[in-house]
Amino acid sequence: MSRQIDDYVRRTTVGLMSRREFFGRTTALGLSTAMAGTLLATSVKAMGPNKGGVIKAGIQGGESTNSLDPALSASSVPSHNLTAFGDLLVEVSPEGEIVNRLAESVESSADARTWHFRIRKGVEFHNGKTLTPDDVLKTMERHSADDSQSGALGVMRGIESMSADGDIFSVTLSTPNADLVYLMADYHLVIQPGGGFDDPASGIGCGPYVLEFDEPGVRHGFTKFANYWDDGRGHADQIEVVVLNDNTARAAALQSGQVHYINRVDPKVAELLGRAPNINIESISGRGHYVFIMHNDTAPFDNNDLRLALKYAIDREEMVDKILRGYGSVGNDTPINAAYPLYSDDLGQRAYDPEKAKFHYEKSGHDGSPIVLKVSEAAFPGAVDASQLFQQSAERAGIPLQVERVPSDGYWSEVWNKEPFCASYWSGRPVQDQMFSTAYKSDADWNDTRFFRDDFDALLAQAKAELDLAKRKELYRQMSVILRDEGGVIVPMFNDFIDAVSTSLGGWVGDPGGGSMFDGALVKAWLL
């Protein structure tokens, strides 16, 4: 049996067997998942990383309006770019642990109110400037300014003061927060020289790659930064992000060898694509969820009975079966699932109920005019089909839902967070505090449901300061109940992250934080 396991490890490491198949076969032979994972990780490390070459990724989630400003990153292409030219203070590992990056060490006071980040020495920006704690301070000031449009603005709220002294960047909070270090791992918080105040979209950072060309909506190219501080990243000489929003074009580019991996594989073609020679399907479950979002402050969605009608009018089981095809699970109108450390499993699952949907619709007093849902495949793989299923199940409840398909280009700048009812997705966040602070806190810039609730904000503030985990869990539970029953988010399903990867690429490790190794595959993987 040992020889057979060794063969499975070898075949997986060189890309001849998918990770899912590897774990399935080793489990059948009596090996635990944990032990199998250790064997595989050890083998991958022993065989790499290899240096050199050019790695290209075909990525859905890019538009002509994209910017290199980290604050404005809202989809996969900008996120890939950030990991190429930028670096963070800390990041979260696939196992959910904090990994020090530009912060060499992190310490907090006993009450978790004051935090100190010792900044790594000898780190150089692409423009030749040496990283200092003042660059960190100014970066955080830019993302937390009152007029900031940063996607991290919500998580920066609650900071009372910040300072830079010697090698230390310090944060003092208005109330204690044991999760502060996780908030600093927000992918928008790429450290820039001078905080990026002078030119936030310059693409200058201290990451493994230097920007060579920037063609929004088309492609972005980078070359290896000779003075990068971490030899464990940036293995290729050059990397390129190719924008391929069309599902068919993306798959064709991988099959023809034009790119080494693609993201957001449509579940309905995943199995077929995985049968192609020299391609593995890499999928991992996590905190990602596909959503339909309503603005709570905009008619007719300012009526909670109408919101409840739409929530009861969606057939979640059907959507998971027909859209996700086994690559995900049913949602419950809250962004929190079992992947979170303080998840409560006793909320009760909302199910499709046309009678309840009809009751709440009639109670809302809606005038019977079409309720317009705007959607594009840019929202998530299968978004158009999912919206049409929603329309059909709503029709059975007597609700006049109208699906309006809009162009993918410009979806994240012209539709999401602007139109009162549209399809969208969230990759989730490592902890509840960050998810709630980013998307549901009243003053969060990415509060895309216009959810303004003082009681919710008060619970969030209370949870931040609560160091007793049992009490904190109960507070998070109350917040999930409020969102489920009164919020503007419909969460029909939690999606697996599905990538298709060439067998010529090594070092692939799934990350429940997001697809494509949390958009870091270009800097973490290598050519075999």
Side-chain angles (χ1 to χ4, degrees):
M1 185 175 72
S2 176
R3 181 177 297 176
Q4 194 169 8
I5 291 175
D6 288 343
D7 181 61
Y8 290 165
V9 170
R10 181 192 63 79
R11 288 171 60 81
T12 306
T13 304
V14 301
L16 296 177
M17 181 185 293
S18 71
R19 290 171 62 86
R20 173 176 286 189
E21 187 178 4
F22 168 78
F23 284 115
R25 292 192 181 189
T26 52
T27 301
L29 290 174
L31 207 63
S32 71
T33 300
M35 185 176 293
T38 300
L39 281 173
L40 184 58
T42 301
S43 180
V44 167
K45 186 175 182 180
M47 292 194 65
N50 297 326
K51 302 292 184 179
V54 180
I55 301 177
K56 296 183 179 182
I59 303 301
Q60 193 275 349
E63 304 173 316
S64 59
T65 54
N66 286 155
S67 168
L68 292 174
D69 181 354
L72 304 180
S73 176
S75 53
S76 294
V77 168
S79 183
H80 269 74
N81 291 337
L82 294 190
T83 62
F85 74 77
D87 220 330
L88 304 167
L89 280 181
V90 295
E91 67 181 22
V92 181
S93 73
E95 294 75 33
E97 301 169 343
I98 289 294
V99 177
N100 292 330
R101 296 298 300 161
L102 298 180
E104 198 170 49
S105 64
V106 182
E107 296 179 354
S108 73
S109 59
D111 64 356
R113 184 166 178 258
T114 301
W115 292 77
H116 302 293
F117 299 81
R118 183 175 297 278
I119 304 306
R120 193 177 298 276
K121 294 181 179 179
V123 175
E124 185 179 320
F125 287 107
H126 302 156
N127 62 1
K129 183 185 184 303
T130 300
L131 169 72
T132 68
D134 191 60
D135 294 308
V136 177
L137 173 62
K138 285 184 168 56
T139 295
M140 299 305 168
E141 288 177 342
R142 189 171 80 85
H143 286 270
S144 59
D146 289 338
D147 60 350
S148 171
Q149 294 181 315
S150 173
L153 180 60
V155 304
M156 300 298 288
R157 301 297 194 192
I159 293 179
E160 184 176 285
S161 64
M162 298 182 289
S163 64
D165 183 20
D167 297 333
I168 306 295
F169 164 68
S170 298
V171 174
T172 299
L173 305 174
S174 54
T175 57
N177 187 350
D179 284 341
L180 185 278
V181 67
Y182 284 92
L183 305 190
M184 291 291 108
D186 188 290
Y187 67 92
H188 298 92
L189 300 178
V190 164
I191 307 304
Q192 296 179 277
F197 277 101
D198 293 337
D199 188 2
S202 66
I204 294 175
C206 51
Y209 290 96
V210 178
L211 179 69
E212 284 294 316
F213 55 85
D214 176 38
E215 302 172 18
V218 182
R219 62 185 186 136
H220 309 267
F222 304 84
T223 58
K224 174 73 176 176
F225 180 39
N227 296 334
Y228 185 51
W229 65 273
D230 182 3
D231 189 55
R233 294 194 178 175
H235 308 298
D237 294 327
Q238 295 176 293
I239 59 173
E240 184 174 336
V241 180
V242 182
V243 181
L244 294 170
N245 289 323
D246 181 79
N247 292 340
T248 302
R250 212 157 56 253
L254 178 63
Q255 289 176 297
S256 65
Q258 296 177 55
V259 298
H260 294 91
Y261 72 86
I262 61 174
N263 71 334
R264 304 187 79 183
V265 175
D266 192 326
K268 68 184 178 184
V269 302
E271 184 176 352
L272 181 63
L273 187 59
R275 294 191 200 131
N278 304 320
I279 292 176
N280 286 330
I281 295 297
E282 297 285 356
S283 69
I284 187 168
S285 60
R287 298 171 287 273
H289 47 288
Y290 296 157
V291 296
F292 298 102
I293 52 177
M294 305 172 280
H295 288 179
N296 285 39
D297 64 348
T298 305
F301 310 106
D302 55 352
N303 185 307
N304 193 45
D305 277 298
L306 183 70
R307 297 197 298 270
L308 284 171
L310 290 167
K311 291 174 182 179
Y312 281 115
I314 194 165
D315 191 331
R316 301 157 199 272
E317 294 286 354
E318 179 185 42
M319 207 166 281
V320 168
D321 290 343
K322 294 183 178 179
I323 303 300
L324 297 185
R325 302 194 179 210
Y327 290 97
S329 58
V330 170
N332 199 25
D333 299 335
T334 168
I336 307 304
N337 67 353
Y340 284 85
L342 296 178
Y343 169 70
S344 295
D345 59 3
D346 60 347
L347 264 63
Q349 176 62 52
R350 177 165 285 150
Y352 176 52
D353 191 329
E355 292 303 316
K356 281 188 178 179
K358 184 177 181 180
F359 167 79
H360 284 288
Y361 178 69
E362 292 178 349
K363 186 180 177 183
S364 75
H366 187 255
D367 61 10
S369 60
I371 300 171
V372 179
L373 169 63
K374 296 198 174 184
V375 63
S376 162
E377 285 297 328
F380 57 82
V384 174
D385 290 341
S387 298
Q388 291 169 345
L389 288 176
F390 190 5
Q391 182 181 38
Q392 293 165 14
S393 61
E395 184 179 7
R396 294 194 290 273
I399 300 175
L401 184 62
Q402 177 181 314
V403 175
E404 181 180 329
R405 186 169 185 174
V406 298
S408 292
D409 191 47
Y411 189 79
W412 298 110
S413 58
E414 303 300 327
V415 178
W416 173 75
N417 218 0
K418 288 184 172 60
E419 294 293 338
F421 194 23
C422 72
S424 185
Y425 82 98
W426 281 92
S427 59
R429 295 295 187 268
V431 290
Q432 282 98 320
D433 183 9
Q434 191 175 7
M435 188 68 239
F436 289 143
S437 296
T438 300
Y440 299 98
K441 194 170 182 286
S442 294
D443 56 5
D445 197 57
W446 278 12
N447 183 350
D448 57 7
T449 56
R450 306 294 193 269
F451 184 70
F452 307 127
R453 289 283 295 264
D454 291 340
D455 57 346
F456 185 90
D457 294 346
L459 287 169
L460 181 58
Q462 187 179 346
K464 288 177 184 290
E466 181 55 69
L467 301 183
D468 183 298
L469 293 183
K471 293 178 180 178
R472 200 178 212 192
K473 179 177 179 179
E474 173 55 28
L475 293 170
Y476 287 145
R477 182 189 183 281
Q478 293 176 41
M479 294 161 72
S480 281
V481 170
I482 291 174
L483 285 177
R484 183 195 63 178
D485 295 342
E486 301 178 60
V489 63
I490 303 173
V491 185
M493 48 191 167
F494 282 85
N495 61 288
D496 290 357
F497 299 109
I498 313 173
D499 299 289
V501 185
S502 167
T503 55
S504 65
L505 206 61
W508 193 278
V509 177
D511 191 325
S516 304
M517 298 172 67
F518 206 177
D519 292 338
L522 281 173
V523 305
K524 297 177 182 177
W526 57 84
L527 293 171
L528 293 171

